[in-house]
Amino acid sequence: AREVLSGLAERAVAAASKLPFREAFTGAVARRDVGTVRAHTEALAPHPEALALYRALAEEILRRTQGRGKEDEIRGILTRG
């Protein structure tokens, strides 16, 4: 797991250093991958503190990447999940 997370972190840092901040966001919420966001919230449901953190981070990503679409649908999942 550490190796995988390390690779993700390295790519995130590289994107942040090369792209405009708004475009550097990656992940299911930034891609508007509704199915994955739903799966994440379902998997985190038994862990309320982790789910609360996921929701807060997802909301911040939505705020910073407005205009990519599906914002209302993802917010609906976040509030139900």
Side-chain angles (χ1 to χ4, degrees):
R2 182 177 294 176
E3 189 174 310
V4 172
L5 291 174
S6 173
L8 288 171
E10 287 174 8
R11 287 190 295 280
V13 169
S17 68
K18 294 177 184 173
L19 298 171
F21 189 67
R22 182 181 183 278
E23 294 174 27
F25 282 95
T26 63
V29 176
R31 288 191 315 273
R32 304 308 197 256
D33 184 342
V34 173
T36 300
V37 172
R38 186 175 290 112
H40 287 168
T41 58
E42 289 170 1
L44 291 170
H47 311 281
E49 290 176 357
L51 180 57
L53 178 59
Y54 184 87
R55 286 175 170 153
L57 292 171
E59 186 57 43
E60 185 63 18
I61 291 168
L62 287 171
R63 189 178 73 75
R64 292 180 179 267
T65 59
Q66 291 178 24
R68 293 186 183 181
K70 299 183 184 179
E71 286 91 348
D72 290 340
E73 188 174 356
I74 290 176
R75 283 190 176 103
I77 292 167
L78 294 171
T79 59
R80 288 189 303 271

